[in-house]
Structure formats: C-alpha cells, structure tokens
Amino acid sequence: VLVHGTVENQKTNWSALAPLLKNEGYCAYTFNYGAGNFTLGQFYGLDRIPGGAAELKSFVDKVRFWSGRSKVDLVGHSQGGLLSRYYIQKLGGAARVEKLVATNNGTTLSGIATLSSDYPELANVFVFSWCKACEDQVVGSPVVESVNEGGGLSPGVTYTNIATIHDEIATPYTTAFMTGSNVTNIAVQDGCE
C-alpha cells in the first residue's frame, strides 16, 4: 500500500513507482486521504493525521480482503510515513503490517516550524490554516510525540527509513532515522552520491 505525502495525491506521488512495483511482481495499491473540508484541486494530505490514519486503516482492511493476505507492506512518502506510523502505533496497524518503508519522524518544515513558535499568527495564516497535517508533522507536536512514545516502534513490524542528506524539509535529515533491532536506516547518498 503506497501512502502519498502532503499536498499530493495517489497519481502524482506514485505514477512512477506503482508501475515499477507491478512489473517486479508486486501488487501495488494506492488511495487518496486527508481531504477534510478543504482541498487544493487534486491535492490531498491536508487534514489531521489521526483522520488520515483512520482512512488508511479502512483502506488496508479492503486491501487485505481483496488480496486475501493477513498483512500488508506500507510505503510512505513524507507525511505518508508518519501517518503510517500513527496507524501502526495507535490504530492497531501493527497486527496488519509486515513492513514499513518510509521517512518522517517529524519535520521543521524547512524552518516554518521555528517561525511558528516565534510568530504563531503568521504560521497559522500562511500554512496551518489550510494544512492541519503540516501542524501535526512538526517536531514536538502532540502527534509526533505520541508515535514516538516508547521508542516509536512496534514489535513484528520491520522498518526501513530512507532519507537524503540534502533534505530541506526534514532538517537535519537524520530526524528521519530511528533506532531499534527491527530498523534499517539508509541515506540515499550511501549508495549513490
């Protein structure tokens, strides 16, 4: 199950990877989440992460029914990673997920989060008023803190975190990484400069 990021959708986020996975013999499923009461045209991932995670839970249950499998693998891009972690940690997803390949352990939103603590009214007008999911993704937010409780990992789920050292949204890029025996952290530049 491919889980898109913020201000994205299933088509724009996964138009390259979904066919590639299919050609490699995988069944790839995508969906849109997080429209809430506000969308930017064809873009989703704007509403609160707990609501998006509930949409993911419903979609995973459909995929399990369609495929006849008890567990799925999740691939999350940006918010899709944090949203997947919320589903695993808070909505019973650990019993339904084998692997999570993702990145997102909270973000500074390229400095906007720092701006929001100094000038909350500006951040609210320019970002958080239309993107509640952006607010949920900020390092130290109640959502990020809740998925990181107790180390942020669920036994039985294998985690692979992939990040670039040139990330400008999740800074420093190492914030995408976690620690545990069921975790593999990969910097893209370790294999391809």
Side-chain angles (χ1 to χ4, degrees):
V1 175
L2 307 178
V3 188
H4 66 75
T6 307
V7 193
E8 295 187 33
N9 65 47
Q10 64 186 345
K11 183 178 178 184
T12 59
N13 209 158
W14 303 116
S15 62
L17 185 60
L20 178 67
L21 289 170
K22 185 176 186 283
N23 289 341
E24 292 294 321
Y26 294 94
C27 295
Y29 299 88
T30 66
F31 73 112
N32 289 320
Y33 68 87
N37 295 322
F38 180 80
T39 61
L40 292 174
Q42 297 294 316
F43 298 103
Y44 298 86
L46 301 168
D47 210 7
R48 296 277 181 201
I49 285 178
E55 292 178 65
L56 173 59
K57 178 181 180 177
S58 175
F59 189 74
V60 165
D61 288 343
K62 290 176 186 174
V63 170
R64 291 173 55 235
F65 175 77
W66 296 331
S67 67
R69 299 196 177 171
S70 61
K71 290 189 172 192
V72 301
D73 295 337
L74 300 176
V75 177
H77 172 244
S78 192
Q79 179 193 156
L82 185 61
L83 187 131
S84 296
R85 290 184 58 223
Y86 191 95
Y87 163 61
I88 290 168
Q89 292 291 106
K90 302 297 178 184
L91 302 180
R96 295 168 178 87
V97 174
E98 184 79 28
K99 299 175 187 169
L100 171 60
V101 178
T103 183
N104 195 329
N105 199 16
T107 178
T108 61
L109 294 173
S110 201
I112 293 171
T114 305
L115 176 68
S116 73
S117 64
D118 295 337
Y119 304 98
E121 62 284 345
L122 287 176
N124 189 50
V125 168
F126 291 110
V127 180
F128 300 148
S129 64
W130 60 270
C131 182
K132 298 300 184 187
C134 294
E135 189 174 14
D136 286 349
Q137 292 176 78
V138 172
V139 171
S141 76
V143 168
V144 171
E145 292 299 310
S146 72
V147 298
N148 286 332
E149 286 175 355
L153 303 171
S154 290
V157 178
T158 302
Y159 297 83
T160 302
N161 302 300
I162 304 171
T164 173
I165 64 172
H166 304 295
D167 198 318
E168 295 178 351
I169 302 297
T171 55
Y173 77 94
T174 53
T175 61
F177 296 155
M178 300 186 303
T179 304
S181 60
N182 54 341
V183 175
T184 302
N185 295 309
I186 301 169
V188 172
Q189 288 72 24
D190 289 344
C192 179
E193 291 181 29

